[in-house]
Amino acid sequence: MAILRVAQMGHPVLRMIADPIDPAAIRSKAFQTFCDDLIETMIEVDGVGLAAPQVHEPIRVVAAEVVEDEDPVILINPVITVLGPGTRRTWEGCLSVEGMRGLVERPDHIRLQALLRTGKELDVELHGFRAVVVQHECDHLDGVLYVDRIVPKTLMFLREWRRWKDELDDQADVDDEGESE
Ligand code: ZN
């Protein structure tokens, strides 16, 4: 296994529309090794999610903790459907936008459909922070970064965010303390 390099905002790979994976290729050794590397890299950099374009591979693959306190899973060709009108505001960060945080408002209740690395189909409903993480990661597959969705005037340096966040949370109607990657 290997720790992969994480692309930083400005690298064109982060703005590409990623290619779908042919399900017949899922069981190949090369793909399975990539899945191992993606998860290992996510853990090494202390992320809760990591999308393949962030490690310079423009393919529709994401590693994420879909269920709290369970091992991260690989999501292949994920599709998100918004299930309700509710939204939540979360302070988000991104391994590809180092040292920044910003407030993002996203749907709170989604359906996630994807293939797993075993080839099996996943079809689950997610609420709250897990729904936010999956939406953030799937945005990467369409070349979208959280800074494109930010609540105006909330982008800040991590150091200042840590210093001021309690005050900001009171003003900004924040639902979640979590950070996605
Ligand atoms: Zn990200």
Side-chain angles (χ1 to χ4, degrees):
M1 294 203 285
I3 306 293
L4 305 171
R5 280 192 57 207
V6 177
Q8 291 299 302
M9 182 170 62
H11 194 297
V13 74
L14 293 171
R15 294 307 192 174
M16 294 171 69
I17 304 294
D19 292 326
I21 296 290
D22 177 355
I26 289 174
R27 289 186 175 275
S28 73
K29 190 163 191 312
F31 183 76
Q32 291 292 326
T33 300
F34 175 74
C35 293
D36 289 339
D37 291 348
L38 190 65
I39 287 178
E40 191 182 6
T41 302
M42 181 188 125
I43 291 168
E44 172 70 18
V45 295
D46 206 21
V48 293
L50 187 62
Q54 292 183 274
V55 294
H56 307 85
E57 290 286 346
I59 53 176
R60 302 190 83 79
V61 178
V62 158
E65 291 178 10
V66 171
V67 180
E68 200 168 354
D69 297 329
E70 283 191 11
D71 289 339
V73 295
I74 294 287
L75 305 172
I76 300 161
N77 302 338
V79 175
I80 287 172
T81 310
V82 175
L83 291 181
T87 60
R88 72 189 293 114
R89 288 181 159 201
T90 308
W91 288 108
E92 295 192 19
C94 181
L95 296 168
S96 295
V97 189
E98 278 182 359
M100 307 290 286
R101 285 289 181 274
L103 200 57
V104 181
E105 185 163 357
R106 297 184 187 269
D108 184 51
H109 184 196
I110 63 167
R111 178 185 184 187
L112 167 66
Q113 295 166 283
L115 290 174
L116 298 169
R117 62 188 293 185
T118 55
K120 284 186 180 160
E121 288 178 23
L122 177 77
D123 188 345
V124 291
E125 288 187 25
L126 298 174
H127 292 269
F129 183 59
R130 299 294 137 183
V132 166
V133 171
V134 167
Q135 288 175 83
H136 176 119
E137 298 310 330
C138 290
D139 267 356
H140 278 297
L141 307 182
D142 293 323
V144 174
L145 300 174
Y146 82 93
V147 292
D148 303 326
R149 298 191 182 279
I150 216 146
V151 175
K153 300 182 179 176
T154 67
L155 185 63
M156 59 191 72
F157 291 111
L158 185 54
R159 196 177 62 181
E160 300 302 317
W161 176 76
R162 287 197 174 120
R163 184 176 170 194
W164 298 104
K165 68 182 286 295
D166 291 342
E167 212 166 299
L168 290 162
D169 284 357
D170 292 340
Q171 294 167 16
D173 192 22
V174 173
D175 296 303
D176 210 310
E177 297 264 320
E179 303 162 22
S180 52
E181 303 291 348

